[in-house]
PDB file of all heavy atoms in Angstrom:
ATOM      1  N   GLN A  37      87.612  15.024 245.931  1.00  0.00           N
ATOM      2  CA  GLN A  37      86.744  16.188 246.035  1.00  0.00           C
ATOM      3  C   GLN A  37      86.802  16.972 244.734  1.00  0.00           C
ATOM      4  O   GLN A  37      87.764  17.694 244.452  1.00  0.00           O
ATOM      5  CB  GLN A  37      87.148  17.088 247.206  1.00  0.00           C
ATOM      6  CG  GLN A  37      86.192  18.236 247.427  1.00  0.00           C
ATOM      7  CD  GLN A  37      86.551  19.104 248.623  1.00  0.00           C
ATOM      8  OE1 GLN A  37      87.650  19.037 249.167  1.00  0.00           O
ATOM      9  NE2 GLN A  37      85.604  19.930 249.067  1.00  0.00           N
ATOM     10  N   ARG A  57      85.769   0.148 249.872  1.00  0.00           N
ATOM     11  CA  ARG A  57      85.952   0.740 248.551  1.00  0.00           C
ATOM     12  C   ARG A  57      84.690   1.486 248.176  1.00  0.00           C
ATOM     13  O   ARG A  57      83.582   0.966 248.380  1.00  0.00           O
ATOM     14  CB  ARG A  57      86.276  -0.338 247.535  1.00  0.00           C
ATOM     15  CG  ARG A  57      86.288   0.113 246.083  1.00  0.00           C
ATOM     16  CD  ARG A  57      86.452  -1.074 245.156  1.00  0.00           C
ATOM     17  NE  ARG A  57      87.828  -1.556 245.160  1.00  0.00           N
ATOM     18  CZ  ARG A  57      88.706  -1.309 244.182  1.00  0.00           C
ATOM     19  NH1 ARG A  57      88.353  -0.563 243.157  1.00  0.00           N
ATOM     20  NH2 ARG A  57      89.921  -1.797 244.243  1.00  0.00           N
ATOM     21  N   ARG A  98      87.997   0.841 263.052  1.00  0.00           N
ATOM     22  CA  ARG A  98      86.707   0.483 263.630  1.00  0.00           C
ATOM     23  C   ARG A  98      85.803   1.683 263.863  1.00  0.00           C
ATOM     24  O   ARG A  98      84.651   1.528 264.229  1.00  0.00           O
ATOM     25  CB  ARG A  98      86.928  -0.259 264.950  1.00  0.00           C
ATOM     26  CG  ARG A  98      87.542  -1.630 264.759  1.00  0.00           C
ATOM     27  CD  ARG A  98      87.940  -2.220 266.086  1.00  0.00           C
ATOM     28  NE  ARG A  98      89.020  -1.453 266.697  1.00  0.00           N
ATOM     29  CZ  ARG A  98      89.505  -1.713 267.907  1.00  0.00           C
ATOM     30  NH1 ARG A  98      88.998  -2.690 268.621  1.00  0.00           N
ATOM     31  NH2 ARG A  98      90.497  -0.991 268.393  1.00  0.00           N
ATOM     32  N   ASN A 100      84.948   5.968 262.599  1.00  0.00           N
ATOM     33  CA  ASN A 100      85.241   7.175 261.831  1.00  0.00           C
ATOM     34  C   ASN A 100      85.146   8.403 262.718  1.00  0.00           C
ATOM     35  O   ASN A 100      84.987   9.510 262.248  1.00  0.00           O
ATOM     36  CB  ASN A 100      84.293   7.285 260.636  1.00  0.00           C
ATOM     37  CG  ASN A 100      82.863   6.974 261.018  1.00  0.00           C
ATOM     38  OD1 ASN A 100      82.442   7.222 262.139  1.00  0.00           O
ATOM     39  ND2 ASN A 100      82.119   6.407 260.089  1.00  0.00           N
TER      40      ASN A 100
ATOM     41  N   GLN B  38      86.374  23.682 255.854  1.00  0.00           N
ATOM     42  CA  GLN B  38      87.512  23.660 254.927  1.00  0.00           C
ATOM     43  C   GLN B  38      87.817  25.082 254.477  1.00  0.00           C
ATOM     44  O   GLN B  38      86.986  25.732 253.855  1.00  0.00           O
ATOM     45  CB  GLN B  38      87.190  22.784 253.712  1.00  0.00           C
ATOM     46  CG  GLN B  38      88.351  22.602 252.747  1.00  0.00           C
ATOM     47  CD  GLN B  38      87.993  21.668 251.605  1.00  0.00           C
ATOM     48  OE1 GLN B  38      86.882  21.702 251.074  1.00  0.00           O
ATOM     49  NE2 GLN B  38      88.929  20.821 251.204  1.00  0.00           N
ATOM     50  N   GLU B  95      79.085   5.908 258.327  1.00  0.00           N
ATOM     51  CA  GLU B  95      78.589   4.538 258.459  1.00  0.00           C
ATOM     52  C   GLU B  95      78.979   3.996 259.827  1.00  0.00           C
ATOM     53  O   GLU B  95      80.120   4.186 260.260  1.00  0.00           O
ATOM     54  CB  GLU B  95      79.171   3.670 257.346  1.00  0.00           C
ATOM     55  CG  GLU B  95      78.771   4.127 255.956  1.00  0.00           C
ATOM     56  CD  GLU B  95      79.477   3.345 254.869  1.00  0.00           C
ATOM     57  OE1 GLU B  95      80.188   2.390 255.202  1.00  0.00           O
ATOM     58  OE2 GLU B  95      79.344   3.716 253.687  1.00  0.00           O
ATOM     59  N   ARG B  99      82.618  -0.411 256.324  1.00  0.00           N
ATOM     60  CA  ARG B  99      83.798   0.330 255.882  1.00  0.00           C
ATOM     61  C   ARG B  99      83.970   1.678 256.562  1.00  0.00           C
ATOM     62  O   ARG B  99      85.004   2.326 256.375  1.00  0.00           O
ATOM     63  CB  ARG B  99      83.743   0.523 254.371  1.00  0.00           C
ATOM     64  CG  ARG B  99      82.554   1.343 253.934  1.00  0.00           C
ATOM     65  CD  ARG B  99      82.425   1.447 252.430  1.00  0.00           C
ATOM     66  NE  ARG B  99      81.407   2.457 252.102  1.00  0.00           N
ATOM     67  CZ  ARG B  99      81.104   2.813 250.868  1.00  0.00           C
ATOM     68  NH1 ARG B  99      81.723   2.241 249.847  1.00  0.00           N
ATOM     69  NH2 ARG B  99      80.183   3.723 250.653  1.00  0.00           N
ATOM     70  N   ARG B 100      82.988   2.109 257.344  1.00  0.00           N
ATOM     71  CA  ARG B 100      83.099   3.348 258.130  1.00  0.00           C
ATOM     72  C   ARG B 100      83.333   4.583 257.277  1.00  0.00           C
ATOM     73  O   ARG B 100      83.928   5.547 257.734  1.00  0.00           O
ATOM     74  CB  ARG B 100      84.239   3.235 259.154  1.00  0.00           C
ATOM     75  CG  ARG B 100      84.160   2.055 260.100  1.00  0.00           C
ATOM     76  CD  ARG B 100      82.984   2.155 261.016  1.00  0.00           C
ATOM     77  NE  ARG B 100      83.097   1.310 262.192  1.00  0.00           N
ATOM     78  CZ  ARG B 100      82.808   0.019 262.245  1.00  0.00           C
ATOM     79  NH1 ARG B 100      82.398  -0.604 261.165  1.00  0.00           N
ATOM     80  NH2 ARG B 100      82.953  -0.646 263.376  1.00  0.00           N
ATOM     81  N   LEU B 102      82.637   8.085 255.257  1.00  0.00           N
ATOM     82  CA  LEU B 102      81.832   9.285 255.453  1.00  0.00           C
ATOM     83  C   LEU B 102      81.198   9.673 254.123  1.00  0.00           C
ATOM     84  O   LEU B 102      81.861   9.645 253.083  1.00  0.00           O
ATOM     85  CB  LEU B 102      82.695  10.445 255.944  1.00  0.00           C
ATOM     86  CG  LEU B 102      83.354  10.309 257.319  1.00  0.00           C
ATOM     87  CD1 LEU B 102      84.118  11.579 257.659  1.00  0.00           C
ATOM     88  CD2 LEU B 102      82.327  10.009 258.390  1.00  0.00           C
TER      89      LEU B 102
END
Side-chain angles (χ1 to χ4, degrees):
Chain A
Q37 185 178 14
R57 171 187 285 257
R98 291 171 294 176
N100 44 31
Chain B
Q38 185 177 40
E95 298 174 5
R99 63 185 191 177
R100 305 294 199 278
L102 295 182

